[in-house]
């Protein structure tokens, strides 16, 4: 089982979600793989934003090892579930999807908590540190629910 988080720059929201979920899964001892990527190349190869790094560090999570990368069509084959942060990412993936199998893998991350509501995770990039803390607090319970469901369904098996 492989999970991908997608945002715009892959330096704020999706690396945070990746770090939070990986931390939860490692504590549960599962072998589910987690990655993140984005759509804009402005920060390609860069580590996460300082503000994302510091909020994660405050909660005991080190996301400094991540390097921003772009979504590629191969990600549809490589990943089983693809969680987006907002409607722009969802729209892009729906345009890129080659078939129903691709489309079915994609969902808004907050739909795990609020099914069908398509609530966005706000972009903190132009905001202050408090906005990153808010994003963390939005992502954390969503990742908890994802971890719970994955653990229930895929525990101990890489399938
Ligand atoms: P992210 O935030 O999508 O959560 O990583 C952003 C980071 C960079 C930009 C936009 C959003 N940018 O335009 O450079």
């Amino acid at each position: 089982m492989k999970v991908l988080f997608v945002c715009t720059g892959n330096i704020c929201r999706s690396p945070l979600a990746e770090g939070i979920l990986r931390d939860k899964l490692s504590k549960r001892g599962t072998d589910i793989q987690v990655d993140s990527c984005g759509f804009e190349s402005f920060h390609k190869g860069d580590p996460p934003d300082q503000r994302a790094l510091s909020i994660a560090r405050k909660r005991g999570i080190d996301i400094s090892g991540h390097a921003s990368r772009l979504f590629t069509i191969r990600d549809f084959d490589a990943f089983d579930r693809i969680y987006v942060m907002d409607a722009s990412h969802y729209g892009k993936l729906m345009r890129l999807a080659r078939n129903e199998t691709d489309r079915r893998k994609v969902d808004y991350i907050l739909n795990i908590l609020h099914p069908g509501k398509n609530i966005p995770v706000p972009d903190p990039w132009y905001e202050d540190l408090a906005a990153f803390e808010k994003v963390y607090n939005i992502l954390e319970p969503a990742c908890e629910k994802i971890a719970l469901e994955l653990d229930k369904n895929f525990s101990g098996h890489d399938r």
Side-chain angles (χ1 to χ4, degrees):
M1 168 55 74
K2 292 178 80 172
V3 179
L4 181 66
F5 293 107
V6 184
C7 66
T8 306
N10 190 215
I11 55 167
C12 306
R13 290 166 290 179
S14 64
L16 276 173
E18 177 191 347
I20 295 167
L21 182 62
R22 183 174 294 131
D23 179 63
K24 289 178 183 298
L25 292 173
S26 77
K27 284 173 181 152
R28 289 168 177 272
T30 66
D31 55 4
I32 293 157
Q33 292 174 53
V34 190
D35 193 10
S36 66
C37 66
F39 285 114
E40 298 295 345
S41 56
F42 310 127
H43 301 279
K44 202 170 141 215
D46 290 351
D49 185 279
Q50 278 305 325
R51 296 162 293 179
L53 285 170
S54 87
I55 291 297
R57 199 180 306 117
K58 220 170 94 179
R59 312 289 184 96
I61 294 174
D62 179 14
I63 59 170
S64 63
H66 182 75
S68 170
R69 74 164 180 92
L70 293 175
F71 180 85
T72 77
I73 204 81
R74 286 186 300 277
D75 288 318
F76 277 125
D77 300 318
F79 291 90
D80 304 290
R81 289 190 192 170
I82 301 174
Y83 290 109
V84 301
M85 301 294 149
D86 64 36
S88 74
H89 318 131
Y90 189 83
K92 283 192 174 84
L93 289 180
M94 285 304 114
R95 284 192 288 282
L96 288 169
R98 300 156 298 180
N99 50 46
E100 197 51 30
T101 306
D102 289 354
R103 277 188 286 277
R104 265 203 302 268
K105 293 182 179 186
V106 183
D107 202 1
Y108 291 74
I109 183 173
L110 292 185
N111 279 353
I112 192 90
L113 295 173
H114 312 285
K117 294 266 197 294
N118 302 345
I119 299 169
V121 178
D123 181 355
W125 173 245
Y126 297 101
E127 312 291 331
D128 58 7
L129 193 62
F132 280 74
E133 185 126 44
K134 192 174 153 204
V135 162
Y136 189 101
N137 291 338
I138 291 170
L139 292 174
E140 198 278 330
C143 288
E144 178 67 24
K145 181 95 182 278
I146 293 170
L148 217 97
E149 294 209 343
L150 291 175
D151 197 12
K152 204 167 62 193
N153 295 318
F154 303 99
S155 177
H157 305 281
D158 187 15
R159 56 184 163 110

